[in-house]
Amino acid sequence: MKAIVVREFGGPEVLKLEEIPTPSSAANQVLVRIHAAGVNPYDTYMRNGTYSIKPPLPYTPGSDGAGVVEAIGEGVHEVKPGDRVYVAKTVTGAYAEYALALESQVHPLPAKITYAQGAGVWVPYGTAYHALCQSTRARASEILLVHGASGGVGIAGIQIARALGLIAFGTAGTEKGLELVKREGAHHVFNHTKSGYLEEILKATGGIGVDIILEMLANVNLGQDLRLLAPHGRVVVIGSRGDVSISPRDLMTRRASIHAFTLWGITEAEEKEIHAGLLAGLENGTLRPIVGKELPLAEAGRAHKEILEQGAFGKIVLLS
Ligand code: NAP
C-alpha cells in the first residue's frame, strides 16, 4: 500500500510517500481502506518532534480518517467488511491507503457524510464537543465566543453551539473565513486581525461579556479573553503556541475560570459519550464537517505547510 512515512523528525519535507506492506488485522483489530485522512495542526508538531507525544520512528501520521472496513480480526463484532466508518485514532496511522485500528477506534459513518467529511470528525468535533458539553457544561441561551472559528475545531464549535441553543459568536481573519463562520450558524462574526474587534464583541453582549470562550490561540489571546468574560464565565484553552501573561484579578472579580485539556487525556467514558453525541448530530444534519481543501496523499507536506497559515476554511484532507 501507499503510505506517508516519517523516518526522521523535521519540516514538511520529511513526509515521504512510500510503498510499504499492507497490515493485516489481529484479534480485536479492524483494517480500514482509508479514502480520506484529516490533517490536524498537532500532526505538524508531532512531525517536528516538538509535541508532548513523540512516536517511535519510523511512523505514519494521522489519527483521523474515513473509509470502508476491509477486514476484521477475531473477536470484532461491531463492524463488518464493507461498512462505512470513520476512525478516531489508529494503530498504524491514517495517512495511508489502509490503516489498522482497534475496534473501539472505529465508528459508523452516516450515509449522508462523505469520506472527506468523515476525515474531519474526530479531533475537531471531539474537541469542540468535549469543550462545550463536558468541560464547561454549556447551557442553552449562554453566549459563546469561538476565538478562531474558521478552522476545523472552530466550525465544529459553532455548529454544536447552535444545536445546543447557545448564542454563538465567532472570529476569523479573512472575509472568506468570516462568511463561512456566519453561514455555519454564528449570530455575530468579528475579524481577529482588525483593531477594536474585542470592544465590538463586548458591545454585542450589551457590555455584560460572554459566558464561554473556546480559545484557539491562547498565547496571543488569553489575557484579553479574561476581560471579555461575564460573571462566572469560562475560557477553554484549546490551542496555544507559546507563553502568555494574564491578570488573575480578571478571574477573581468575575469568579471566572480557565479550563484546559488535550483530547489524548480524556477518559474512555467521555470518549464513548462524545461518539454517541457526534453520531446523533451527523445523522440529523446539525453537524456538517466543512472540507475546504482536498489534496492527494502525496501532497501531505503541502497540507502541513498550509494548515499553519492564516486563512483557515474548515478542514484540509488527504485523499487516497
Ligand atoms: P485550524 O483549522 O488550522 O484553524 C486555526 C484557527 O485559528 C483558524 O480559525 C484561524 O483563523 C484561527 N486564528 C488565527 N489567528 C488567530 C488569532 N490571532 N486569534 C484567534 N484565532 C486565530 O486549526 P484547528 O484544527 O481548528 O485547531 C485550532 C488549535 O487548537 C490548534 O492550535 C490546534 O493544535 C489546537 N487543538 C487542540 C486540541 C486539544 O486537544 N487541546 C484539539 C484540536 C486542536 P484564520 O485562519 O481565519 O485567521
Side-chain angles (χ1 to χ4, degrees):
M1 69 169 183
K2 289 191 172 53
I4 296 292
V5 180
V6 174
R7 296 192 176 276
E8 54 177 331
F9 295 114
E13 68 285 353
V14 303
L15 298 163
K16 297 271 199 303
L17 187 70
E18 294 189 11
E19 195 74 40
I20 61 170
T22 304
S24 49
S25 39
N28 304 316
Q29 290 184 338
V30 178
L31 180 67
V32 181
R33 171 69 178 94
I34 298 286
H35 289 301
V39 176
N40 289 297
Y42 92 81
D43 295 338
T44 72
Y45 324 144
M46 194 178 265
R47 184 213 66 225
N48 267 331
T50 54
Y51 195 51
S52 51
I53 298 171
K54 216 171 168 176
L57 295 170
Y59 80 99
T60 292
S63 53
D64 295 11
V68 177
V69 173
E70 178 80 12
I72 56 174
E74 215 177 298
V76 171
H77 301 294
E78 298 294 323
V79 291
K80 58 181 186 319
D83 285 358
R84 299 173 89 247
V85 293
Y86 74 88
V87 295
K89 298 175 278 186
T90 72
V91 177
T92 55
Y95 287 21
E97 287 179 318
Y98 293 87
L100 266 187
L102 303 177
E103 184 176 19
S104 58
Q105 296 169 331
V106 175
H107 304 275
L109 186 69
K112 65 170 77 155
I113 305 296
T114 65
Y115 297 124
Q117 288 179 303
V121 172
W122 171 235
V123 167
Y125 282 83
T127 300
Y129 187 99
H130 180 71
L132 288 171
C133 300
Q134 296 175 328
S135 178
T136 58
R137 299 187 181 279
R139 295 182 297 272
S141 87
E142 288 194 301
I143 301 178
L144 166 75
L145 169 66
V146 180
H147 213 165
S150 47
V153 179
I155 292 292
I158 295 287
Q159 292 176 355
I160 293 171
R162 288 305 307 265
L164 294 172
L166 277 80
I167 298 162
F169 294 2
T171 75
T174 63
E175 279 309 311
K176 212 174 141 210
L178 290 165
E179 275 167 32
L180 174 68
V181 176
K182 184 104 189 160
R183 189 189 87 196
E184 290 309 312
H187 293 92
H188 291 287
V189 294
F190 306 88
N191 188 328
H192 52 232
T193 67
K194 295 264 164 72
S195 66
Y197 82 99
L198 295 169
E199 290 74 16
E200 277 179 45
I201 292 172
L202 203 52
K203 212 166 128 200
T205 68
I208 295 164
V210 299
D211 299 299
I212 302 172
I213 300 178
L214 303 192
E215 181 50 63
M216 303 305 153
L217 201 56
N219 55 303
V220 172
N221 296 323
L222 188 60
Q224 306 276 13
D225 283 344
L226 303 185
R227 291 183 204 120
L228 287 180
L229 288 176
H232 300 278
R234 314 66 111 193
V235 181
V236 191
V237 175
I238 293 179
S240 187
R241 294 182 180 159
D243 296 340
V244 62
S245 74
I246 63 163
S247 292
R249 273 193 186 150
D250 291 331
L251 289 167
M252 294 152 69
T253 53
R254 294 168 175 80
R255 300 182 66 184
S257 51
I258 300 174
H259 298 218
F261 67 92
T262 77
L263 206 52
W264 303 106
I266 64 170
T267 66
E268 251 178 61
E270 286 171 325
E271 203 168 315
K272 195 170 163 204
E273 178 192 324
I274 290 172
H275 288 293
L278 297 187
L279 181 60
L282 293 168
E283 278 175 346
N284 70 24
T286 50
L287 306 186
R288 307 163 302 274
I290 301 295
V291 179
K293 189 167 280 181
E294 296 179 350
L295 293 172
L297 187 58
E299 292 196 40
R302 178 175 156 203
H304 273 213
K305 277 186 216 130
E306 292 187 5
I307 186 111
L308 296 181
E309 288 167 2
Q310 289 284 312
F313 192 88
K315 289 295 302 176
I316 301 177
V317 305
L318 299 170
L319 303 182
S320 57

Short mmCIF file of all heavy atoms in Angstrom, two decimals, residues 41 45 123 127 147-154 172-174 192 216-217 221 238-239 241 261-263 307 310-312 314, ligand 1:
data_model
loop_
_atom_site.label_atom_id
_atom_site.label_comp_id
_atom_site.label_asym_id
_atom_site.label_seq_id
_atom_site.Cartn_x
_atom_site.Cartn_y
_atom_site.Cartn_z
N PRO A 41 -3.47 20.39 13.13
CA PRO A 41 -2.23 21.09 13.49
C PRO A 41 -1.27 20.24 14.32
O PRO A 41 -0.06 20.29 14.12
CB PRO A 41 -2.73 22.31 14.28
CG PRO A 41 -4.09 22.59 13.69
CD PRO A 41 -4.66 21.24 13.40
N TYR A 45 3.17 19.41 14.73
CA TYR A 45 4.04 19.50 15.92
C TYR A 45 4.70 18.13 16.16
O TYR A 45 5.87 18.04 16.51
CB TYR A 45 3.31 19.91 17.20
CG TYR A 45 2.17 20.93 17.08
CD1 TYR A 45 1.03 20.81 17.90
CD2 TYR A 45 2.23 22.00 16.20
CE1 TYR A 45 -0.02 21.72 17.82
CE2 TYR A 45 1.17 22.91 16.13
CZ TYR A 45 0.06 22.75 16.92
OH TYR A 45 -0.99 23.64 16.85
N VAL A 123 -10.89 14.66 15.71
CA VAL A 123 -10.19 15.69 16.50
C VAL A 123 -11.01 16.99 16.55
O VAL A 123 -11.26 17.52 17.64
CB VAL A 123 -8.74 15.92 16.02
CG1 VAL A 123 -8.15 17.18 16.63
CG2 VAL A 123 -7.88 14.71 16.40
N THR A 127 -13.07 17.52 20.03
CA THR A 127 -12.55 18.61 20.87
C THR A 127 -13.65 19.62 21.21
O THR A 127 -13.81 20.01 22.38
CB THR A 127 -11.40 19.33 20.11
OG1 THR A 127 -10.37 18.37 19.86
CG2 THR A 127 -10.85 20.49 20.90
N HIS A 147 -13.09 31.79 19.56
CA HIS A 147 -12.00 32.69 19.17
C HIS A 147 -11.09 31.90 18.22
O HIS A 147 -10.18 31.22 18.66
CB HIS A 147 -11.24 33.15 20.42
CG HIS A 147 -10.69 34.52 20.33
ND1 HIS A 147 -10.25 35.23 21.42
CD2 HIS A 147 -10.49 35.33 19.26
CE1 HIS A 147 -9.82 36.42 21.02
NE2 HIS A 147 -9.94 36.49 19.71
N GLY A 148 -11.37 32.05 16.92
CA GLY A 148 -10.71 31.22 15.90
C GLY A 148 -11.71 30.21 15.40
O GLY A 148 -11.58 29.01 15.61
N ALA A 149 -12.78 30.72 14.70
CA ALA A 149 -13.92 29.85 14.36
C ALA A 149 -13.87 29.30 12.94
O ALA A 149 -14.70 28.48 12.58
CB ALA A 149 -15.23 30.62 14.57
N SER A 150 -12.92 29.74 12.12
CA SER A 150 -12.93 29.37 10.69
C SER A 150 -12.25 28.04 10.39
O SER A 150 -12.34 27.53 9.29
CB SER A 150 -12.26 30.47 9.88
OG SER A 150 -11.02 30.85 10.50
N GLY A 151 -11.56 27.45 11.37
CA GLY A 151 -10.83 26.19 11.14
C GLY A 151 -11.65 24.98 11.57
O GLY A 151 -12.87 25.07 11.82
N GLY A 152 -10.97 23.85 11.68
CA GLY A 152 -11.66 22.59 11.98
C GLY A 152 -12.42 22.62 13.29
O GLY A 152 -13.62 22.35 13.34
N VAL A 153 -11.74 22.95 14.38
CA VAL A 153 -12.39 22.93 15.70
C VAL A 153 -13.43 24.06 15.80
O VAL A 153 -14.51 23.88 16.37
CB VAL A 153 -11.35 23.09 16.83
CG1 VAL A 153 -12.04 23.08 18.19
CG2 VAL A 153 -10.29 22.00 16.76
N GLY A 154 -13.10 25.20 15.22
CA GLY A 154 -13.98 26.37 15.33
C GLY A 154 -15.34 26.14 14.69
O GLY A 154 -16.39 26.42 15.29
N ALA A 172 -12.72 35.21 12.68
CA ALA A 172 -11.87 34.67 11.61
C ALA A 172 -10.98 35.82 11.17
O ALA A 172 -11.20 36.98 11.57
CB ALA A 172 -12.72 34.17 10.45
N GLY A 173 -9.98 35.49 10.34
CA GLY A 173 -9.02 36.52 9.94
C GLY A 173 -9.16 36.95 8.49
O GLY A 173 -8.40 37.81 8.04
N THR A 174 -10.10 36.33 7.75
CA THR A 174 -10.30 36.73 6.35
C THR A 174 -11.81 36.86 6.09
O THR A 174 -12.63 36.30 6.83
CB THR A 174 -9.78 35.64 5.38
OG1 THR A 174 -10.52 34.44 5.59
CG2 THR A 174 -8.28 35.37 5.58
N HIS A 192 -10.50 38.88 13.74
CA HIS A 192 -9.48 38.98 14.80
C HIS A 192 -8.18 39.67 14.32
O HIS A 192 -7.23 39.74 15.09
CB HIS A 192 -9.20 37.62 15.45
CG HIS A 192 -8.88 36.51 14.50
ND1 HIS A 192 -9.55 35.32 14.54
CD2 HIS A 192 -7.99 36.39 13.50
CE1 HIS A 192 -9.08 34.52 13.59
NE2 HIS A 192 -8.13 35.15 12.95
N MET A 216 -8.50 29.29 20.49
CA MET A 216 -7.62 28.52 19.59
C MET A 216 -6.18 28.99 19.62
O MET A 216 -5.29 28.32 19.10
CB MET A 216 -8.13 28.59 18.13
CG MET A 216 -9.53 28.13 17.92
SD MET A 216 -9.83 26.47 18.52
CE MET A 216 -11.58 26.60 18.86
N LEU A 217 -5.92 30.20 20.15
CA LEU A 217 -4.55 30.73 20.16
C LEU A 217 -4.31 31.45 21.48
O LEU A 217 -4.18 32.68 21.54
CB LEU A 217 -4.36 31.67 18.95
CG LEU A 217 -2.93 31.92 18.49
CD1 LEU A 217 -2.19 30.63 18.16
CD2 LEU A 217 -2.90 32.84 17.28
N ASN A 221 -4.15 35.40 22.97
CA ASN A 221 -5.43 35.99 23.37
C ASN A 221 -5.86 35.82 24.83
O ASN A 221 -6.80 36.48 25.26
CB ASN A 221 -6.55 35.38 22.52
CG ASN A 221 -6.42 35.72 21.04
OD1 ASN A 221 -6.01 36.82 20.69
ND2 ASN A 221 -6.74 34.77 20.17
N ILE A 238 -7.86 25.67 24.10
CA ILE A 238 -7.82 24.53 23.17
C ILE A 238 -6.49 24.51 22.43
O ILE A 238 -5.83 23.49 22.35
CB ILE A 238 -9.03 24.58 22.21
CG1 ILE A 238 -10.32 24.34 23.01
CG2 ILE A 238 -8.88 23.55 21.09
CD1 ILE A 238 -11.59 24.39 22.22
N GLY A 239 -6.09 25.68 21.89
CA GLY A 239 -4.81 25.75 21.19
C GLY A 239 -3.92 26.80 21.80
O GLY A 239 -4.40 27.85 22.27
N ARG A 241 0.42 28.25 21.28
CA ARG A 241 1.73 28.02 20.67
C ARG A 241 2.82 28.82 21.37
O ARG A 241 3.74 29.34 20.73
CB ARG A 241 1.66 28.36 19.17
CG ARG A 241 0.74 27.41 18.44
CD ARG A 241 0.61 27.60 16.96
NE ARG A 241 -0.31 26.60 16.43
CZ ARG A 241 -0.97 26.70 15.28
NH1 ARG A 241 -0.80 27.76 14.51
NH2 ARG A 241 -1.78 25.74 14.89
N PHE A 261 -7.44 21.27 28.27
CA PHE A 261 -7.33 19.81 28.13
C PHE A 261 -6.64 19.49 26.82
O PHE A 261 -6.50 20.35 25.95
CB PHE A 261 -8.72 19.15 28.14
CG PHE A 261 -9.56 19.49 26.93
CD1 PHE A 261 -9.55 18.69 25.80
CD2 PHE A 261 -10.35 20.64 26.91
CE1 PHE A 261 -10.30 19.01 24.68
CE2 PHE A 261 -11.11 20.97 25.79
CZ PHE A 261 -11.08 20.15 24.67
N THR A 262 -6.21 18.24 26.68
CA THR A 262 -5.93 17.72 25.34
C THR A 262 -6.80 16.49 25.16
O THR A 262 -7.11 15.78 26.14
CB THR A 262 -4.46 17.32 25.08
OG1 THR A 262 -4.21 16.08 25.69
CG2 THR A 262 -3.48 18.39 25.53
N LEU A 263 -7.18 16.25 23.94
CA LEU A 263 -8.10 15.15 23.65
C LEU A 263 -7.48 13.79 24.00
O LEU A 263 -8.19 12.82 24.24
CB LEU A 263 -8.45 15.21 22.15
CG LEU A 263 -9.78 14.61 21.70
CD1 LEU A 263 -10.95 15.14 22.50
CD2 LEU A 263 -9.99 14.85 20.21
N ILE A 307 -1.77 24.20 6.71
CA ILE A 307 -2.62 24.16 7.91
C ILE A 307 -2.14 25.19 8.94
O ILE A 307 -2.92 25.66 9.77
CB ILE A 307 -2.69 22.75 8.56
CG1 ILE A 307 -3.68 22.72 9.73
CG2 ILE A 307 -1.34 22.27 9.07
CD1 ILE A 307 -4.88 21.95 9.51
N GLN A 310 -2.44 31.52 7.87
CA GLN A 310 -3.70 32.25 8.10
C GLN A 310 -4.66 31.94 6.96
O GLN A 310 -4.23 31.53 5.87
CB GLN A 310 -3.42 33.76 8.11
CG GLN A 310 -2.68 34.25 9.34
CD GLN A 310 -3.57 34.34 10.56
OE1 GLN A 310 -4.65 34.88 10.51
NE2 GLN A 310 -3.10 33.80 11.67
N GLY A 311 -5.95 32.15 7.20
CA GLY A 311 -6.93 31.96 6.13
C GLY A 311 -7.58 30.59 6.18
O GLY A 311 -7.88 30.01 5.14
N ALA A 312 -7.81 30.07 7.40
CA ALA A 312 -8.44 28.75 7.54
C ALA A 312 -9.83 28.76 6.91
O ALA A 312 -10.54 29.77 6.90
CB ALA A 312 -8.53 28.37 9.01
N GLY A 314 -12.38 25.65 7.22
CA GLY A 314 -12.72 24.27 7.56
C GLY A 314 -11.49 23.38 7.52
O GLY A 314 -10.40 23.80 7.95
P1 NAP B 1 -7.07 25.24 12.05
O1 NAP B 1 -8.10 24.51 11.25
O2 NAP B 1 -5.72 25.47 11.46
O3 NAP B 1 -7.69 26.66 12.46
C1 NAP B 1 -6.93 27.63 13.18
C2 NAP B 1 -7.88 28.71 13.65
O4 NAP B 1 -7.17 29.66 14.44
C3 NAP B 1 -8.50 29.47 12.48
O5 NAP B 1 -9.85 29.74 12.75
C4 NAP B 1 -7.68 30.75 12.47
O6 NAP B 1 -8.37 31.84 11.85
C5 NAP B 1 -7.55 30.95 13.97
N1 NAP B 1 -6.63 32.04 14.33
C6 NAP B 1 -5.55 32.50 13.66
N2 NAP B 1 -5.06 33.60 14.29
C7 NAP B 1 -5.86 33.82 15.38
C8 NAP B 1 -5.90 34.81 16.39
N3 NAP B 1 -4.98 35.79 16.48
N4 NAP B 1 -6.87 34.72 17.33
C9 NAP B 1 -7.80 33.74 17.30
N5 NAP B 1 -7.83 32.79 16.34
C10 NAP B 1 -6.85 32.83 15.40
O7 NAP B 1 -6.81 24.50 13.44
P2 NAP B 1 -7.86 23.67 14.34
O8 NAP B 1 -7.81 22.25 13.95
O9 NAP B 1 -9.15 24.39 14.37
O10 NAP B 1 -7.14 23.79 15.77
C11 NAP B 1 -7.03 25.06 16.41
C12 NAP B 1 -5.98 24.99 17.51
O11 NAP B 1 -6.40 24.10 18.53
C13 NAP B 1 -4.62 24.48 17.05
O12 NAP B 1 -3.60 25.16 17.77
C14 NAP B 1 -4.63 23.02 17.46
O13 NAP B 1 -3.33 22.50 17.68
C15 NAP B 1 -5.43 23.09 18.74
N6 NAP B 1 -6.15 21.85 19.06
C16 NAP B 1 -6.05 21.37 20.32
C17 NAP B 1 -6.76 20.25 20.69
C18 NAP B 1 -6.71 19.75 22.09
O14 NAP B 1 -6.90 18.55 22.33
N7 NAP B 1 -6.50 20.64 23.06
C19 NAP B 1 -7.54 19.55 19.75
C20 NAP B 1 -7.64 20.09 18.45
C21 NAP B 1 -6.95 21.25 18.13
P3 NAP B 1 -7.90 32.50 10.43
O15 NAP B 1 -7.06 31.50 9.71
O16 NAP B 1 -9.22 32.79 9.76
O17 NAP B 1 -7.14 33.73 10.81
#
